Amino acid sequence: MNNTSSSLADTLERVLDKGVVIVGDIAVCVVDIELLTLRVRLFIASAQTAREMGMDWWTNDPFFTPKAVDPDIGKNELAQANADLRDRVAALERALGEERA
């Protein structure tokens, strides 16, 4: 029993240290028509190993890191830009309507 748990611990340590990538595609087809494709990419490693490989998406995700950048910052700017564009489109539509009349 001790040998098994020791080898399992060694294997887990090696996987977390080096990392493992598992890749797979699942396709759902009916009469040779592809309806759905799922691409699965699974990377298993320690946080330190992932950072060393350039994968540190969780450092800017507010769900995982309270100090991460808030995605709602700039939301008012986007809403204002959207309103400005709507006004411009409405003005262009009015100008086109006057030209046709």
Side-chain angles (χ1 to χ4, degrees), residues 38-92:
L38 299 173
R39 293 182 174 239
V40 179
R41 308 292 183 260
L42 178 63
F43 175 71
I44 301 172
S46 68
Q48 180 181 356
T49 302
R51 270 193 213 104
E52 290 170 359
M53 298 178 113
M55 292 183 243
D56 61 350
W57 53 266
W58 63 88
T59 59
N60 293 322
D61 190 328
F63 183 78
F64 295 105
T65 309
K67 296 178 183 175
V69 176
D70 186 3
D72 290 335
I73 294 175
K75 197 173 188 178
N76 291 335
E77 294 172 12
L78 181 61
Q80 183 60 44
N82 192 3
D84 292 344
L85 287 173
R86 288 177 187 269
D87 292 343
R88 290 177 65 186
V89 168
L92 288 170

Side-chain angles (χ1 to χ4, degrees), residues 6-18:
S6 175
S7 66
L8 179 61
D10 291 340
T11 303
L12 182 59
E13 182 180 347
R14 186 173 297 142
V15 165
L16 292 175
D17 184 44
K18 301 294 181 187

